[in-house]
Amino acid sequence: MHSSRWFILVAVMMAFTPVVVDMTILHIAIPSLAVALGASGNEVLWIIDVYPLVMAGLLVPMGTLADRIGYRRILLIGLGVFGAASIAAAFSTSAPMLIVARAALGIGSSMIMPCVLALIRQTFEDDAERATALGIWSIVSMAGAAIGPLVGGVLLEHFWWGSVFLVNVPIMLIVIPVVWRLVPPSSGNSQATWKPGQALILVAGLILTVYGVKSGFKAGLNVETGATLIVGVGLLAWFSRLQISSENPMLDLSLLTKPAIAVGLMMAFVASGSLAGFELVLAQELQFVLDKTPLQAGVFMLPLVVAAAIGGPIGGQLANRYGLRAVASSSMASAALALFAISLSDLVEKAYIVAVLLGILGFALGVGLLASSIAIMGSAPAEKAGAAGALESTGYELGGGLGITIFGVLVNSIYRSAFSNPVAGDGISNSISEAMTVARELGGSDGLEIAVAAKAAFAEAHGSVLVLVAAMIALLSALVFIALRNAPKAEAH
């Protein structure tokens, strides 16, 4: 047993915190950086979701690489990549440059996250102490995501948008020496199988498919968009075939033949995707439409993210008491009702009611994420627990990235059809960030007219998308209720 195990836990939690905060801190900064960089609607979506998409594709192979050459070494390399990418992101001068920097951040995060859990499990040999350490990890994970928007708001109140990235640099300068000093080196297992080629196929397939979907909604289906979609879907199909035919797959897709695991993964997709997508769109409406400062927007969103952080731990107790089926289906139904109610509410005149609804939504989605984990891990054979965990982690990250894509594409599509202004030139109706940039440049009555038209169109788009997503989650609630009909009334986890 490591005599300095609690110091090791402190070190890995220090490494883990910036990665978690970075998942949500950018949502508040999007309106500011979109205007500063002149980013289009599609570029804004790529800035946000290239991070989880790259991370999702690389989590498993980076974990395997860490098994091969040692967790401390990969963790230190990941921290270095994360710090360097943060500098590049902070001083990006164009949207494409920021997208590349965010992809690099995803690479660094994919190296850090598997090492954190592996080091906790390796360091704490006593079951009770390991449970305590994992509980601390869970709290840090939820709290970090919860304070991300608030931290972003505070930074943007006093500094430029790049500060949400640059804040990672002094943290890395402290964390790297601490990890070097406290985390013991390990030789690794040279026999561990590493399949980077399959990871590249997955990442390429995801990015090309998402690019094709975004381009198709913006410009309509053409030869280029169709070819991109075909190649992207083809790569994903190839990746799936490799997993099914392999004796030692990167992701064990055979687990999806179990209904509880399949529906659990679907819940992970929907819950994490809805939370990430809704946060992004809400942050834009609060700042672009309601003219709130980043700090005011961060405070407004606190009920959502804090309740989501609380929902996970409480969800476990609820599942034990009332059963997985009841908790999973009711959490999805509650999220659907909250989204529908928010779509009908005035964010200014009914701010307190909206705050309560945001809390209900966040809590329901937090419980849903926990319920999905219970469904996946509770139904997986003991000998495939690691494979199920990898599938679950990948599902969370993919859900976050694809949720942002779906919310963003739907909002931008409805926004374009609702935008009407004779002063606006070509391309101004593509997204609210582009319209507000032009409005500020024009100024005067013409600029004001464009801004008013853009705000009205975005508010309409936001409300319509919430209704659509609420209907989708309501259908999922019914599907969960049917699929988990054989689940026991109480689940140990």
Side-chain angles (χ1 to χ4, degrees), residues 56 59-60 113 117 265 376 388-399:
L59 273 175
V60 177
M113 291 186 70
L117 278 175
L265 189 63
I376 293 170
L391 192 65
E392 179 185 354
S393 299
T394 303
Y396 286 151
E397 298 304 329
L398 284 182

Side-chain angles (χ1 to χ4, degrees), residues 402-420:
L402 296 178
I404 289 168
T405 296
I406 293 169
F407 264 82
V409 165
L410 288 175
V411 165
N412 285 344
S413 298
I414 299 173
Y415 168 85
R416 280 195 295 273
S417 63
F419 184 87
S420 176

Side-chain angles (χ1 to χ4, degrees), residues 138-201:
S138 177
I139 292 171
V140 170
S141 175
M142 294 173 181
I147 67 171
L150 186 61
V151 171
V154 171
L155 288 171
L156 292 171
E157 193 78 5
H158 303 285
F159 307 103
W160 96 115
W161 62 265
S163 62
V164 300
F165 297 109
L166 203 60
V167 70
N168 293 328
V169 178
I171 296 174
M172 291 298 108
L173 292 177
I174 296 172
V175 171
I176 290 175
V178 170
V179 170
W180 179 274
R181 178 69 181 83
L182 295 179
V183 176
S186 58
S187 58
N189 176 16
S190 60
Q191 303 301 315
T193 304
W194 190 45
K195 299 180 178 180
Q198 292 188 13
L200 293 177
I201 293 172

Side-chain angles (χ1 to χ4, degrees), residues 77-387:
I77 294 173
L79 291 170
V81 171
F82 193 86
S86 296
I87 296 175
F91 294 104
S92 294
T93 56
S94 66
M97 182 177 175
L98 182 54
I99 291 169
V100 173
R102 285 279 290 171
L105 278 169
I107 295 172
S109 297
S110 70
M111 302 174 80
I112 295 169
M113 291 186 70
C115 294
V116 169
L117 278 175
L119 283 166
I120 290 175
R121 290 170 180 167
Q122 186 183 68
T123 302
F124 291 89
E125 299 172 4
D126 180 76
D127 289 343
E129 287 192 348
R130 186 187 300 120
T132 300
L134 288 172
I136 294 171
W137 168 82
S138 177
I139 292 171
V140 170
S141 175
M142 294 173 181
I147 67 171
L150 186 61
V151 171
V154 171
L155 288 171
L156 292 171
E157 193 78 5
H158 303 285
F159 307 103
W160 96 115
W161 62 265
S163 62
V164 300
F165 297 109
L166 203 60
V167 70
N168 293 328
V169 178
I171 296 174
M172 291 298 108
L173 292 177
I174 296 172
V175 171
I176 290 175
V178 170
V179 170
W180 179 274
R181 178 69 181 83
L182 295 179
V183 176
S186 58
S187 58
N189 176 16
S190 60
Q191 303 301 315
T193 304
W194 190 45
K195 299 180 178 180
Q198 292 188 13
L200 293 177
I201 293 172
L202 175 59
V203 172
L206 286 170
I207 290 177
L208 288 175
T209 301
V210 170
Y211 177 81
V213 171
K214 292 177 180 178
S215 300
F217 270 91
K218 180 178 180 180
L221 193 61
N222 53 39
V223 175
E224 179 184 350
T225 301
T228 303
L229 269 175
I230 290 172
V231 173
V233 172
L235 287 174
L236 293 178
W238 183 21
F239 173 81
S240 300
R241 183 180 178 84
L242 289 173
Q243 305 316 298
I244 294 171
S245 61
S246 174
E247 293 183 1
N248 185 23
M250 190 179 106
L251 287 177
D252 191 351
L253 300 182
S254 66
L255 290 168
L256 296 179
T257 58
K258 294 181 176 293
I261 294 180
V263 79
L265 189 63
M266 192 180 302
M267 285 180 63
F269 259 87
V270 172
S272 60
S274 298
L275 190 59
F278 178 70
E279 277 185 8
L280 172 62
V281 176
L282 180 60
Q284 289 180 296
E285 175 153 10
L286 291 173
Q287 295 178 69
F288 279 139
V289 179
L290 302 183
D291 297 319
K292 290 184 178 292
T293 65
L295 180 57
Q296 290 171 334
V299 172
F300 191 98
M301 294 169 64
L302 270 182
L304 174 71
V305 290
V306 171
I310 295 172
I314 295 180
Q317 299 175 25
L318 293 175
N320 278 338
R321 185 179 181 89
Y322 300 107
L324 177 60
R325 184 191 193 193
V327 171
S329 57
S330 60
S331 67
M332 292 292 97
S334 300
L337 289 173
L339 277 173
F340 184 72
I342 292 171
S343 73
L344 302 177
S345 302
D346 189 302
L347 298 184
V348 177
E349 295 182 1
K350 298 182 178 180
Y352 292 107
I353 295 176
V354 172
V356 173
L357 292 172
L358 288 175
I360 294 172
L361 175 63
F363 184 82
L365 292 176
V367 171
L369 283 170
L370 189 280
S372 71
S373 180
I374 294 174
I376 293 170
M377 301 307 295
S379 302
E383 67 274 11
K384 291 191 175 183

Side-chain angles (χ1 to χ4, degrees), residues 1-54:
M1 184 176 290
H2 292 279
S3 59
S4 59
R5 57 193 178 280
W6 296 108
F7 289 106
I8 296 173
L9 179 64
V10 170
V12 295
M13 286 302 96
M14 289 175 65
F16 180 56
T17 301
V19 175
V20 180
V21 173
D22 213 60
M23 292 179 181
T24 56
I25 194 173
L26 190 59
H27 294 172
I28 286 294
I30 278 297
S32 300
L33 70 85
V35 172
L37 298 179
S40 67
N42 272 357
E43 287 173 333
V44 165
L45 295 182
W46 276 117
I47 289 168
I48 290 286
D49 59 18
V50 72
Y51 178 77
L53 289 177
V54 170

